[in-house]
Amino acid sequence: MVRVAVTAVLVALVLLAVPLGLAIKSYFFAHQRDALERDALAGAVRVSPDFTTGDPVELPAAAAGEHLGLYDAGPRRKAGAGPQSGDRAVQQALAAASVRSQTGNELVIAVPVSHNEQVIGVVRASAPTRGIWKRVLAGWGALLGVALLALGVAILVARRQARALTAPLEDLSRQCRAVTDGDLTARARHSPITEIDQVARTHNDMLQSLSELLQHEKNFTANASHQLRTPLTGLQLTLESALAQEDSRLRPAIEEALASTRHLHQTVEDVLRLTRKSRHPAAATAPREAAGRVLEDLASRWHGVFADDGRRLECTAPEAAAQALIAGRAVTQILDILLDNARLHGRGAVEVAVRDFEDALAFDVTDEGTLDIAPARLFTRGHTSGPGEGIGLSLAQDLADALDGRLSLASHAPTRFTLLVPLGSVAGNSHRLARTTPEHDSSAPPENGRP
């Protein structure tokens, strides 16, 4: 803003100062010519016709820096100061016309002296241009001083106006950064500038609506989780009580139903935990479980589902990778989503394979189908190419991000999704410990139910 204001003032000053500077020069030269002409006319009036016969002539005193001389028709100087022989201006004035000219470094005015309608002489007035240029330069200096003063005032005004305009914008920027850092209570202050104040009000209204929407979503999540946990807990207690009975015929079904409820309860907890985090939680804080155990539970729960559809499910992992400790709950949630996606949208046999990368494990979920959707749209929430709400893959990607991992589409034909789970520093230590000490926690209840 300061640059724009200064540029505008400079353009205005140039457009004004250049013509004004030329006008100053023209004024001083014209003023000097007029003064010389007055002195020459005054001298011509005082010249007597008898000067041609030798009568002495008394010319008026010339002004400082001027020269006044009288010339006869010769033309030779008879009185005053000037060149001994008349110059071109004097010769032209003998033709009965006043002459204004500039010869060398002098301004010259020549006025004819007439008697009985005949020119009998010429009065010549001259002044050096050096003195005129001194006055012109003094005028230009004054003009430059005024221009610099105007420029300085313009800069001060522009800086003050710029501060007045940028202060509310900087405040709005600070509030936006505060919102980016998670503070939804930040509000922009009122501005005396109408347009900026309108932006600030719109920003505050948007934040208010966003805060209400987020609060509504948070309340809904809390209410849904509370209402789901209560009946799930009651169902678990009922199943555990039924499991204590001695009727062996219902025991396998009760165990399967109990495992399913525990799995569903854990799913609710994981989703709720994910919605509570504005930043990704550290993967090292999640409960650790051997990758082989995760695959075994996965196979036991999904084998029957695919078998009912006439499809085969195969889960494989190298021995070293199977002993690695990972965040079992979150990985199980992601693999459940991928297997359900393969069941609904894929075809043929499904394979879950684990690859070991020393500092990470890669879980490949492959089916024999073909996928012609761009990966960017594939993980967009709400987008689906068939049955479903288009939430599963987006949720799986969020869960992978929460583990500091990555979920991607590795192949279109056949369709293969790859979940990369980094073991990290803490996880890496667990990985190495698992290879030397293969024991793992087996206290977790088995999950033999179907999702």
Side-chain angles (χ1 to χ4, degrees):
M1 293 180 62
V2 173
R3 286 197 298 268
V4 170
V6 171
T7 301
V9 172
L10 284 174
V11 171
L13 289 176
V14 169
L15 294 178
L16 180 64
V18 171
L20 189 57
L22 296 177
I24 290 175
K25 174 190 173 185
S26 177
Y27 167 77
F28 281 113
F29 274 86
H31 181 270
Q32 185 63 53
R33 289 191 184 95
D34 292 341
L36 290 175
E37 188 170 14
R38 285 194 301 271
D39 292 344
L41 288 173
V45 170
R46 298 181 62 175
V47 173
S48 170
D50 296 333
F51 86 94
T52 56
T53 60
D55 248 8
V57 178
E58 293 184 2
L59 295 174
E66 294 182 3
H67 303 286
L68 196 62
L70 175 63
Y71 293 81
D72 60 13
R76 295 181 300 273
R77 179 165 59 84
K78 305 295 291 186
Q84 192 65 32
S85 177
D87 54 10
R88 184 177 180 181
V90 173
Q91 296 174 1
Q92 291 176 348
L94 289 175
S98 297
V99 176
R100 291 186 174 192
S101 67
Q102 182 174 345
T103 59
N105 296 324
E106 280 188 325
L107 283 180
V108 177
I109 301 295
V111 177
V113 178
S114 301
H115 180 68
N116 291 331
E117 298 182 356
Q118 291 184 353
V119 177
I120 60 175
V122 174
V123 175
R124 178 183 182 276
S126 63
T129 57
R130 182 177 63 254
I132 305 173
W133 276 112
K134 287 182 179 179
R135 294 194 293 273
V136 171
L137 292 177
W140 284 356
L143 179 61
L144 179 61
V146 173
L148 292 177
L149 178 62
L151 182 61
V153 172
I155 292 175
L156 292 177
V157 173
R159 290 178 62 86
R160 181 175 180 181
Q161 188 66 21
R163 284 194 297 269
L165 291 175
T166 56
L169 292 176
E170 291 174 351
D171 176 69
L172 182 59
S173 177
R174 285 193 296 271
Q175 305 308 320
C176 290
R177 285 196 298 270
V179 173
T180 302
D181 294 335
D183 183 12
L184 295 181
T185 62
R187 295 294 185 271
R189 289 196 293 268
H190 171 74
S191 172
I193 302 172
T194 304
E195 292 79 3
I196 299 179
D197 186 63
Q198 182 178 0
V199 174
R201 288 199 306 270
T202 304
H203 172 79
N204 293 339
D205 293 342
M206 178 191 67
L207 279 182
Q208 183 65 32
S209 300
L210 182 60
S211 299
E212 294 175 357
L213 178 62
L214 290 178
Q215 186 62 41
H216 175 75
E217 294 293 334
K218 185 182 296 184
N219 293 339
F220 171 78
T221 304
N223 295 337
S225 63
H226 178 272
Q227 294 303 106
L228 284 174
R229 272 192 302 233
T230 301
L232 283 175
T233 302
L235 181 58
Q236 286 181 3
L237 292 176
T238 302
L239 292 173
E240 288 173 355
S241 298
L243 193 60
Q245 303 297 324
E246 296 181 356
D247 190 348
S248 60
R249 294 174 301 173
L250 299 178
R251 189 176 186 86
I254 294 174
E255 289 179 348
E256 183 178 357
L258 183 59
S260 296
T261 56
R262 286 171 177 166
H263 182 76
L264 181 58
H265 188 279
Q266 191 57 54
T267 300
V268 172
E269 292 295 331
D270 289 343
V271 173
L272 181 61
R273 188 181 303 110
L274 183 64
T275 60
R276 287 173 179 170
K277 299 296 183 180
S278 59
R279 300 289 182 189
H280 299 333
T285 62
R288 320 303 295 179
E289 189 174 356
R293 173 67 181 276
V294 172
L295 288 185
E296 290 176 4
D297 292 344
L298 194 73
S300 65
R301 289 186 292 105
W302 284 96
H303 177 76
V305 176
F306 282 97
D308 291 342
D309 294 339
R311 300 170 64 183
R312 179 171 54 87
L313 173 63
E314 182 178 355
C315 298
T316 60
E319 182 179 356
Q323 296 174 2
L325 298 182
I326 58 174
R329 294 176 181 175
V331 172
T332 298
Q333 299 290 339
I334 299 171
L335 294 178
D336 281 342
I337 294 174
L338 295 179
L339 287 176
D340 187 59
N341 186 73
R343 182 180 66 87
L344 293 176
H345 304 285
R347 62 183 180 85
V350 179
E351 180 184 6
V352 180
V354 181
R355 291 179 288 155
D356 188 3
F357 291 102
E358 292 295 335
D359 58 347
L361 291 183
F363 293 81
D364 296 323
V365 180
T366 309
D367 64 74
E368 298 176 359
T370 301
L371 190 62
D372 295 328
I373 303 175
R377 297 184 60 195
L378 186 64
F379 293 98
T380 302
R381 181 174 290 266
H383 176 77
T384 180
S385 60
E389 302 295 331
I391 297 176
L393 289 179
S394 176
L395 175 59
Q397 192 174 58
D398 291 341
L399 290 169
D401 290 342
L403 290 175
D404 295 326
R406 185 181 65 189
L407 177 62
S408 61
L409 177 64
S411 173
H412 290 270
T415 302
R416 182 171 68 251
F417 288 90
T418 298
L419 170 64
L420 188 65
V421 181
L423 299 176
S425 57
V426 176
N429 293 334
S430 301
H431 192 176
R432 289 190 288 271
L433 288 173
R435 293 180 178 183
T436 56
T437 309
E439 294 81 359
H440 53 74
D441 182 16
S442 59
S443 61
E447 298 179 356
N448 297 321
R450 299 180 182 178

